[in-house]
Short mmCIF file of all heavy atoms in Angstrom, two decimals:
data_model
loop_
_atom_site.label_atom_id
_atom_site.label_comp_id
_atom_site.label_asym_id
_atom_site.label_seq_id
_atom_site.Cartn_x
_atom_site.Cartn_y
_atom_site.Cartn_z
N GLY A 705 -3.02 15.50 -2.65
CA GLY A 705 -2.23 14.18 -2.58
C GLY A 705 -0.82 14.38 -2.34
O GLY A 705 -0.38 15.50 -2.18
N GLU A 706 -0.13 13.31 -2.18
CA GLU A 706 1.25 13.33 -1.90
C GLU A 706 2.17 13.95 -3.01
O GLU A 706 3.17 14.67 -2.81
CB GLU A 706 1.77 11.95 -1.55
CG GLU A 706 3.24 11.94 -1.09
CD GLU A 706 3.68 10.51 -0.80
OE1 GLU A 706 2.77 9.76 -0.26
OE2 GLU A 706 4.88 10.14 -0.96
N LYS A 707 1.65 13.67 -4.26
CA LYS A 707 2.49 14.12 -5.39
C LYS A 707 1.59 15.13 -6.23
O LYS A 707 0.58 14.88 -6.79
CB LYS A 707 2.75 12.95 -6.34
CG LYS A 707 3.67 11.89 -5.64
CD LYS A 707 3.95 10.71 -6.58
CE LYS A 707 4.86 9.70 -5.91
NZ LYS A 707 5.13 8.48 -6.79
N VAL A 708 2.15 16.35 -6.18
CA VAL A 708 1.42 17.46 -6.88
C VAL A 708 2.44 18.34 -7.60
O VAL A 708 3.56 18.58 -7.15
CB VAL A 708 0.73 18.40 -5.86
CG1 VAL A 708 -0.17 19.38 -6.53
CG2 VAL A 708 -0.13 17.53 -4.93
N LYS A 709 2.06 18.77 -8.83
CA LYS A 709 2.82 19.79 -9.64
C LYS A 709 1.94 21.03 -9.76
O LYS A 709 0.89 20.96 -10.31
CB LYS A 709 3.23 19.22 -10.94
CG LYS A 709 4.23 18.03 -10.84
CD LYS A 709 4.58 17.46 -12.27
CE LYS A 709 5.40 18.44 -13.07
NZ LYS A 709 5.83 17.79 -14.34
N PHE A 710 2.55 22.20 -9.34
CA PHE A 710 1.69 23.41 -9.36
C PHE A 710 2.66 24.64 -9.46
O PHE A 710 3.87 24.52 -9.17
CB PHE A 710 0.86 23.61 -8.12
CG PHE A 710 1.68 23.57 -6.86
CD1 PHE A 710 2.15 24.75 -6.24
CD2 PHE A 710 2.03 22.37 -6.22
CE1 PHE A 710 2.88 24.81 -5.03
CE2 PHE A 710 2.82 22.32 -5.09
CZ PHE A 710 3.21 23.56 -4.47
N ILE A 711 2.15 25.73 -10.02
CA ILE A 711 2.86 27.00 -10.12
C ILE A 711 2.46 27.89 -9.08
O ILE A 711 1.28 28.15 -8.79
CB ILE A 711 2.58 27.64 -11.54
CG1 ILE A 711 3.13 26.61 -12.57
CG2 ILE A 711 3.36 28.95 -11.61
CD1 ILE A 711 2.81 27.12 -13.98
N TYR A 712 3.41 28.46 -8.33
CA TYR A 712 3.21 29.37 -7.31
C TYR A 712 4.16 30.54 -7.39
O TYR A 712 5.40 30.35 -7.44
CB TYR A 712 3.37 28.78 -5.88
CG TYR A 712 3.10 29.62 -4.80
CD1 TYR A 712 1.78 30.08 -4.48
CD2 TYR A 712 4.16 30.16 -3.95
CE1 TYR A 712 1.50 30.93 -3.40
CE2 TYR A 712 3.87 31.08 -2.87
CZ TYR A 712 2.57 31.46 -2.61
OH TYR A 712 2.27 32.24 -1.55
N LYS A 713 3.55 31.75 -7.66
CA LYS A 713 4.40 32.96 -7.89
C LYS A 713 5.50 32.74 -8.93
O LYS A 713 6.66 33.16 -8.78
CB LYS A 713 5.04 33.49 -6.53
CG LYS A 713 4.03 33.97 -5.51
CD LYS A 713 4.66 34.53 -4.28
CE LYS A 713 3.57 35.08 -3.40
NZ LYS A 713 4.26 35.67 -2.15
N GLY A 714 5.08 32.14 -10.02
CA GLY A 714 6.00 32.04 -11.15
C GLY A 714 6.95 30.74 -11.09
O GLY A 714 7.63 30.45 -12.03
N THR A 715 6.91 30.09 -9.98
CA THR A 715 7.83 28.92 -9.87
C THR A 715 6.99 27.58 -9.86
O THR A 715 5.91 27.52 -9.27
CB THR A 715 8.62 29.00 -8.56
OG1 THR A 715 9.42 30.14 -8.51
CG2 THR A 715 9.48 27.75 -8.36
N LEU A 716 7.52 26.63 -10.61
CA LEU A 716 6.87 25.31 -10.63
C LEU A 716 7.34 24.43 -9.61
O LEU A 716 8.58 24.20 -9.48
CB LEU A 716 7.12 24.66 -12.03
CG LEU A 716 6.62 23.14 -12.20
CD1 LEU A 716 5.01 23.20 -12.10
CD2 LEU A 716 7.03 22.63 -13.51
N PHE A 717 6.51 24.06 -8.67
CA PHE A 717 6.87 23.09 -7.55
C PHE A 717 6.32 21.74 -7.83
O PHE A 717 5.30 21.52 -8.47
CB PHE A 717 6.34 23.61 -6.19
CG PHE A 717 6.97 24.85 -5.72
CD1 PHE A 717 6.48 26.11 -6.06
CD2 PHE A 717 8.15 24.81 -4.96
CE1 PHE A 717 7.07 27.24 -5.55
CE2 PHE A 717 8.78 25.92 -4.48
CZ PHE A 717 8.22 27.18 -4.70
N GLU A 718 7.13 20.77 -7.37
CA GLU A 718 6.66 19.33 -7.54
C GLU A 718 6.99 18.64 -6.20
O GLU A 718 8.16 18.51 -5.75
CB GLU A 718 7.34 18.63 -8.70
CG GLU A 718 6.93 17.24 -8.86
CD GLU A 718 7.57 16.51 -10.04
OE1 GLU A 718 8.32 17.19 -10.82
OE2 GLU A 718 7.36 15.34 -10.26
N THR A 719 5.92 18.05 -5.55
CA THR A 719 6.17 17.35 -4.34
C THR A 719 6.11 15.85 -4.58
O THR A 719 5.29 15.41 -5.45
CB THR A 719 5.06 17.69 -3.27
OG1 THR A 719 3.75 17.33 -3.71
CG2 THR A 719 5.08 19.18 -3.09
#
Side-chain angles (χ1 to χ4, degrees):
E706 181 177 330
K707 298 179 180 181
V708 188
K709 294 177 71 173
F710 58 94
I711 297 175
Y712 182 71
K713 293 186 176 180
T715 300
L716 175 64
F717 290 92
E718 181 177 358
T719 64

